[in-house]
Amino acid sequence: MPTFAIRLARLTGRLLLALAAVTTLVVVFLGSIVLTDGAGSGIAAWFTAAGVGTLAALWRARRRTRAARLVPFLPVAVAAALTASVCIPTVPTARQHPPALPFVATQHWSLVTGSRVAVYHYPPAKHSTRQPVPFVYINGGPVRGISLLDHRFLRLLARQGYDVYTYEQAGGGRSDLLAMDQYTISRSVRDLAAFIDRLDRGRVDVLGFSAGGVTLTRALADPGVAARVHRAVIAEPGPMDGPTARITGHKGQESARDLAPAMTGPRSTHVPRYAVAFGLMRLGLLTPESGLVGQAEGDNAFTAADLGSDTASAYCARDAHRIPTEDTAENFSFSPAASLRVQETVKDSPSIASRLRRSRTPAMLMIAECSSQTRQWATSVLANDPAVERTQYMPGVGHRLWNGLDDNDDRAAAVITAFLQDRPAPLPDYPTRDGIPAFLRDHR
């Protein structure tokens, strides 16, 4: 028995040493991924880790008997096999665009900025009173395809007489990709101006949601772009500039983030290659331009389930167990690297407050009761844009203001159309500019 115990202890010790060796080599591999920014699809890091492991194994094998000299190489082989999975693509590396939508034609417009974007047009319904000013929608993301929920809401506006146009921003949905360094918030604003010019219908009404609200806010701070906008609706905006992005403040009422069932469906983050790539990007250890996973491959790999609790955070806690399906797997499109790149350019940008204070374009701000956005992101727009004529605090909804539940789409449409037609607001003007401190105090 003592002999067996001694042998077992020795075997356990050897296994632990082997496990430690494998773990060390995996850490060396990940460190090399970071240091090389994923060069060559991770191959440079793989050779580095394999080389370090081989040299260590040779050193350990030098005094062993011939039969035992291969033993130190076993952890190297195991680590090499594990890390090789991070270097091998499992989806196409050329961009696979979503298929055509059955209910609306996809046009492709080449803008003077160099972007080639997918465009959708919903003409006003024949039985409706036609509104004279074209309507343009900028979706959120950034660099995300337009969801089926959004398409349904835009059709609702078209049934109310609006001539609705929308486009998927460069890199999103069915639009063409850009070089990674061209994804900037400034490019998004220039693309909006170029799109309106390409439409060639004069000034337009614009609705910007979430990241689209950031693009619209910054457009209003640019006199040349603002001159193209008739009326602006800024719905649940993200941070408008670097100083605003650094604010840590209040959020809305409780969202469904930690209450909703986990999203189902395949996740790219269950595949080692994409788990490492997207995880290190999110931690800021890999740049969006990383050579580990190319932009097109990352777009093809990323799924709706990868958004995880981010989707639930756009709904009120009371809706946690009835969150609608926002999109189909076929239509869903999101570019994690390009989105991160655009967000970084917002965070790195100087304040636009002084320029926004010169805005004269009539604007409305929409804020959700259960918003997962920092409240000051919206109130900063209200505080600095003197042309914000009304603020509509939307009860019973989260960040996703129009979501197909109950009468939420109709209520959002009523608020938007009342402002665009300069009719009395359906809801009280709240918060007012003077009431921002009280709003931030009372709605946490």
Side-chain angles (χ1 to χ4, degrees):
M1 185 63 69
T3 302
F4 173 77
I6 291 171
R7 289 177 178 175
L8 181 60
R10 287 175 177 172
L11 178 60
T12 302
R14 288 170 182 166
L15 289 174
L16 289 174
L17 286 173
L19 180 60
V22 171
T23 302
T24 300
L25 290 176
V26 170
V27 170
V28 169
F29 172 75
L30 293 176
S32 299
I33 286 281
V34 172
L35 291 174
T36 62
D37 201 27
S41 196
I43 295 298
W46 187 88
F47 275 114
T48 299
V52 169
T54 299
L55 290 174
L58 287 171
W59 177 261
R60 291 182 59 204
R62 73 191 190 284
R63 294 182 180 177
R64 292 175 179 253
T65 62
R66 184 184 297 269
R69 284 178 182 170
L70 293 179
V71 173
F73 290 92
L74 290 177
V76 180
V78 171
L82 289 173
T83 54
S85 64
V86 178
C87 305
I88 302 172
T90 60
V91 299
T93 56
R95 183 69 176 108
Q96 305 291 300
H97 292 288
L101 292 167
F103 49 80
V104 64
T106 304
Q107 305 174 52
H108 284 93
W109 290 6
S110 295
L111 306 179
V112 295
T113 57
S115 299
R116 186 170 181 269
V117 297
V119 179
Y120 309 95
H121 177 211
Y122 293 105
K126 294 180 180 178
H127 64 273
S128 62
T129 301
R130 186 184 183 109
Q131 301 300 320
V133 181
F135 179 96
V136 173
Y137 173 62
I138 317 173
N139 69 309
V143 198
R144 180 174 177 174
I146 298 173
S147 71
L148 296 184
L149 272 184
D150 279 344
H151 278 289
R152 181 166 61 183
F153 183 66
L154 297 179
R155 292 201 297 272
L156 171 61
L157 294 176
R159 289 196 297 272
Q160 297 184 12
Y162 288 89
D163 197 11
V164 178
Y165 291 85
T166 187
Y167 63 97
E168 288 172 316
Q169 298 164 56
R174 297 162 185 83
S175 294
D176 287 1
L177 305 181
L178 299 176
M180 190 58 68
D181 61 0
Q182 293 184 37
Y183 290 107
T184 66
I185 189 60
S186 297
R187 175 62 171 264
S188 299
V189 173
R190 293 197 304 273
D191 279 351
L192 171 61
F195 179 83
I196 297 172
D197 288 346
R198 174 71 168 73
L199 185 59
D200 196 23
R201 295 277 302 278
R203 293 195 302 162
V204 301
D205 293 329
V206 183
L207 165 63
F209 168 65
S210 192
V214 177
T215 299
L216 180 53
T217 300
R218 295 180 71 96
L220 298 179
D222 183 328
V225 183
R228 298 166 166 89
V229 180
H230 176 252
R231 283 181 172 257
V233 179
I234 303 168
E236 279 286 290
M240 65 184 187
D241 54 26
T244 310
R246 289 188 284 275
I247 294 175
T248 56
H250 312 304
K251 296 187 179 180
Q253 299 299 316
E254 185 181 14
S255 77
R257 174 181 286 275
D258 298 319
L259 304 173
M263 290 190 69
T264 58
R267 294 174 183 253
S268 68
T269 48
H270 288 170
V271 179
R273 176 172 175 81
Y274 308 112
V276 170
F278 298 149
L280 292 178
M281 279 185 197
R282 190 157 191 172
L283 292 172
L285 298 175
L286 281 185
T287 68
E289 298 88 350
S290 166
L292 180 57
V293 173
Q295 178 189 171
E297 182 190 347
D299 293 4
N300 294 337
F302 202 88
T303 68
D306 286 321
L307 294 173
S309 60
D310 284 353
T311 297
S313 70
Y315 294 83
C316 290
R318 66 179 72 96
D319 295 326
H321 295 280
R322 60 168 193 156
I323 293 175
T325 301
E326 295 188 348
D327 221 343
T328 61
E330 294 76 19
N331 187 63
F332 177 82
S333 170
F334 182 71
S335 178
S339 179
L340 180 61
R341 167 76 179 156
V342 173
Q343 292 177 63
E344 286 180 348
T345 64
V346 174
K347 293 176 182 177
D348 293 340
S349 69
S351 173
I352 65 167
S354 61
R355 290 187 286 127
L356 189 59
R357 293 188 193 111
R358 296 193 289 270
S359 174
R360 296 296 178 266
T361 304
M364 179 179 74
L365 185 63
M366 297 176 72
I367 304 177
E369 177 187 9
C370 309
S371 179
S372 56
Q373 307 280 75
T374 299
R375 288 296 196 196
Q376 285 89 337
W377 294 350
T379 58
S380 292
V381 177
L382 177 59
N384 290 289
D385 185 349
V388 173
E389 297 180 350
R390 63 177 76 168
T391 303
Q392 300 285 268
Y393 179 76
M394 305 293 294
V397 291
H399 181 61
R400 172 60 76 170
L401 294 165
W402 42 88
N403 54 34
L405 297 176
D406 304 327
D407 63 344
N408 293 336
D409 286 15
D410 291 328
R411 291 195 297 125
V415 163
I416 292 167
T417 57
F419 171 71
L420 296 183
Q421 296 174 31
D422 200 21
R423 293 187 281 106
L427 298 171
D429 185 17
Y430 175 78
T432 62
R433 196 167 283 106
D434 293 338
I436 290 175
F439 174 75
L440 294 176
R441 182 183 64 247
D442 296 342
H443 294 274
R444 309 187 180 194

